């Protein structure tokens, strides 16, 4: 039986020693305390992913005086946002389940200043000062922080028309409440009017399918640009993504990492 709002998500989770581990497989979660004797699993619940299927969510805690959670668990999970673990092999359905759970707290769990800075960097490749009326897709828009970035860039609401989409309904609802124009995840691929560009901030490391990449680039005008950061990417990750993008027909430019939080920047042109 699945639950839309798990009972374990309450103020108790906000304690520094609590964290969540998500996986499709319950057996993998059950094995964690055996492999990490400093970790205790408090409880485990099943939730439905907005992308389909179910995901197991374990609430875990470090034993007293055993330090902070490690960056990875048994090589199978990697830590993100300090207190969440996702499978090392990206599974968008698992990641979306997490963000749907965390939407209410998301802005307090991340550095808004860093996120806005990254979005401004990406937008600088996609729009130019004085641009008006350009339709830009914010792919994986989260809670709509790109609106803050636009305002700081002086574009304002009457300049660039930013349209967000996100596979997490809870995150998309927060972006809409912030004032962003939004497209439900089931509808962005059906958009009739092309976009003048697109950005993806802190999305690539969570996984993006070839189907999504192909449709995303197909929706951008030939003169447009797609820019994204790749948090935590290593050289093999970048090479694999570059091959995928070039197979679709895009020209790819990789810009080196400027800070470890942001990661390298991927810029795609000549999209059709």
């Amino acid at each position: 039986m699945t639950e839309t709002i798990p009972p374990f998500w309450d103020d108790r989770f906000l304690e520094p020693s609590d964290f969540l581990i998500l996986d499709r497989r319950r057996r993998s979660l059950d094995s964690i305390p055996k492999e990490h004797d400093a970790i205790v699993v408090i409880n485990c619940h099943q939730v439905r992913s907005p992308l389909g299927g179910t995901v197991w969510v374990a609430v875990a805690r470090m034993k007293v005086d055993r330090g902070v959670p490690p960056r990875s668990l048994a090589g199978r999970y990697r830590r993100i946002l300090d207190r969440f673990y996702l499978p090392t092999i990206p599974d968008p359905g698992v990641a979306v389940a997490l963000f749907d759970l965390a939407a209410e707290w998301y802005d307090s769990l991340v550095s808004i200043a860093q996120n806005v800075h990254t979005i401004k960097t990406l937008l600088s490749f996609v729009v130019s000062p004085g641009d008006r009326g350009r339709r830009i897709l914010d792919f994986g828009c989260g809670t709509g922080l790109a609106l803050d970035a636009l305002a700081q860039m002086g574009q304002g609401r009457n300049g660039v028309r930013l349209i967000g989409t996100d596979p997490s309904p809870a995150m998309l609802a927060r972006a809409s409440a912030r004032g962003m124009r939004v497209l439900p995840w089931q509808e962005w691929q059906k958009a009739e009017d092309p976009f003048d560009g697109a950005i993806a901030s802190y999305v690539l490391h969570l996984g993006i399918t070839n189907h999504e990449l192909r449709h995303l680039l197909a929706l951008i005008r030939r003169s447009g640009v797609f820019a994204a950061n790749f948090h935590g990417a290593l050289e093999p990750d970048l090479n694999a993504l570059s091959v995928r993008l070039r197979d679709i027909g895009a020209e790819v430019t990789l810009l080196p990492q400027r800070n470890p939080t942001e990661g390298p920047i991927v810029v795609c042109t000549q999209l059709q």
Side-chain angles (χ1 to χ4, degrees):
M1 181 176 179
T2 59
E3 305 166 55
T4 303
I5 304 178
F8 55 78
W9 193 276
D10 54 27
D11 290 341
R12 181 182 60 185
F13 174 70
L14 299 179
E15 294 297 322
S17 58
D18 291 355
F19 51 95
L20 298 186
I21 312 169
L22 287 81
D23 203 321
R24 298 274 189 185
R25 302 163 298 171
R26 172 69 183 264
R27 183 178 299 178
S28 292
L29 297 176
D30 289 340
S31 69
I32 289 173
K34 301 174 185 177
E35 301 173 8
H36 296 269
D37 60 2
I39 294 176
V40 177
V41 173
I42 307 301
N43 54 44
C44 197
H45 291 259
Q46 199 174 33
V47 299
R48 184 166 296 280
S49 170
L51 293 184
T54 57
V55 176
W56 287 97
V57 184
V59 179
R61 184 176 299 165
M62 297 295 292
K63 292 181 180 177
V64 178
D65 299 328
R66 298 303 293 271
V68 298
R71 290 189 177 274
S72 65
L73 297 176
R76 298 197 308 271
Y77 304 97
R78 56 197 170 93
R79 193 178 72 198
I80 68 169
L81 301 179
D82 293 333
R83 55 174 59 193
F84 306 104
Y85 287 89
L86 295 177
T88 302
I89 299 175
D91 183 332
V94 175
V96 172
L98 167 61
F99 288 111
D100 221 40
L101 289 173
E104 182 177 348
W105 293 273
Y106 181 80
D107 285 356
S108 65
L109 294 170
V110 301
S111 167
I112 291 181
Q114 176 61 53
N115 274 256
V116 169
H117 172 79
T118 299
I119 295 169
K120 287 167 62 177
T121 299
L122 300 179
L123 285 171
S124 69
F125 293 102
V126 178
V127 299
S128 302
D131 278 346
R132 298 183 64 83
R134 289 172 63 84
R135 298 176 73 248
I136 304 301
L137 178 67
D138 186 357
F139 184 82
C141 65
T143 60
L145 291 175
L147 287 178
D148 297 354
L150 269 184
Q152 291 184 22
M153 295 173 71
Q155 297 288 351
R157 295 178 184 269
N158 296 321
V160 172
R161 291 187 292 162
L162 196 64
I163 300 168
T165 191
D166 199 286
S168 164
M171 295 286 266
L172 197 63
R174 296 213 159 243
S176 178
R178 208 182 209 114
M180 178 177 279
R181 300 181 181 92
V182 299
L183 273 176
W185 187 251
Q186 297 80 6
E187 296 181 15
W188 71 269
Q189 296 183 25
K190 304 174 184 176
E192 296 182 359
D193 297 327
F195 293 96
D196 297 298
I199 62 170
S201 176
Y202 294 97
V203 171
L204 295 183
H205 68 293
L206 299 173
I208 180 171
T209 67
N210 285 337
H211 176 80
E212 290 167 348
L213 272 179
R214 187 174 298 277
H215 276 271
L216 174 60
L217 299 188
L219 285 173
I220 303 173
R221 298 183 191 277
R222 183 173 177 79
S223 59
V225 175
F226 169 57
N229 70 306
F230 200 160
H231 170 71
L234 300 177
E235 186 172 353
D237 304 316
L238 288 170
N239 291 339
L241 178 64
S242 296
V243 170
R244 292 168 63 194
L245 289 167
R246 290 184 176 116
D247 284 347
I248 295 172
E251 292 190 6
V252 182
T253 301
L254 300 178
L255 304 178
Q257 173 175 292
R258 293 183 293 183
N259 68 68
T261 301
E262 191 170 87
I265 303 293
V266 180
V267 180
C268 298
T269 56
Q270 298 294 320
L271 300 177
Q272 296 182 41

